Amino acid sequence: MASKSSRDPVDLPGFFSDLVRCETRLYNALNDRLRERHGIVTSQYESLRFLRDHPGSRVADLATEFAIGIGASSKAVDRLEKQGWVVRRTNPSDRRSSLLDLTAAGRHLVEAAEGTFTTTLTELTADILVGSSGTAAVQVLSELRATLERHQVGLPTG
């Protein structure tokens, strides 16, 4: 893991490696727990949570939120729809697109999975994200994400 004193330049390759490996390990652990308890994976949970919090979103809105292609986002919605968790309805202002809403089953699932998600993430991070250093880490990642999103860095090209 990359760690240097505050006076040393940041080891950017080490930072990137730590960031990506942490994300992968957290994502995989959440995948395992959500699959075991609710029969879904992390990407499905995140999509359901987004749609719960943003009813009437379009596939393009999901793609933008998760920085994935429209095709991948559409296929993910197809799978959620097939499970009966999401419905598409015609967009009255643009008949070429659909608006997405959770079904009652989708709402129930995301509410149940949210407890598992939060508990698992707390178990995995509680001893690390404490005090001022934890607050600083959360702030730095939030600022980095906001900057990347503001400048539209890392969006899929296709």
Side-chain angles (χ1 to χ4, degrees):
M1 294 177 88
S3 72
K4 294 189 167 227
S5 78
S6 61
R7 288 181 241 165
D8 293 334
V10 173
D11 171 15
L12 290 176
F15 168 75
F16 178 81
S17 181
D18 287 347
L19 182 64
V20 170
R21 299 316 173 271
C22 286
E23 185 274 343
T24 301
R25 290 174 185 274
L26 289 170
Y27 206 89
N28 290 343
L30 289 162
N31 250 354
D32 292 345
R33 191 71 58 88
L34 288 167
R35 184 181 292 118
E36 169 191 304
R37 295 195 179 161
H38 305 284
I40 61 173
V41 293
T42 307
S43 60
Q44 291 172 314
Y45 167 74
E46 287 193 298
S47 294
L48 292 170
R49 188 179 70 178
F50 180 84
L51 292 174
R52 179 200 61 199
D53 296 344
H54 304 90
S57 292
R58 299 166 303 133
V59 168
D61 299 323
L62 279 171
T64 299
E65 173 67 16
F66 299 115
I68 60 175
I70 295 278
S73 185
S74 184
K75 286 180 183 178
V77 170
D78 289 344
R79 288 188 289 273
L80 296 174
E81 188 176 31
K82 185 177 179 182
Q83 293 294 326
W85 300 327
V86 170
V87 293
R88 296 177 196 245
R89 58 185 165 85
T90 303
N91 184 342
S93 62
D94 180 359
R95 299 190 62 80
R96 294 171 296 163
S97 72
S98 298
L99 302 178
L100 307 171
D101 291 301
L102 293 183
T103 62
R107 218 173 346 278
H108 177 74
L109 175 59
V110 74
E111 296 300 331
E114 189 165 45
T116 299
F117 180 89
T118 302
T119 299
T120 303
L121 198 52
T122 300
E123 289 169 2
L124 296 169
T125 63
D127 292 340
I128 305 301
L129 295 178
V130 294
S132 60
S133 63
T135 302
V138 169
Q139 183 65 35
V140 164
L141 289 176
S142 179
E143 289 175 19
L144 177 57
R145 176 183 175 179
T147 299
L148 294 171
E149 288 178 353
R150 185 172 47 258
H151 297 289
Q152 298 183 333
V153 172
L155 295 176
T157 56

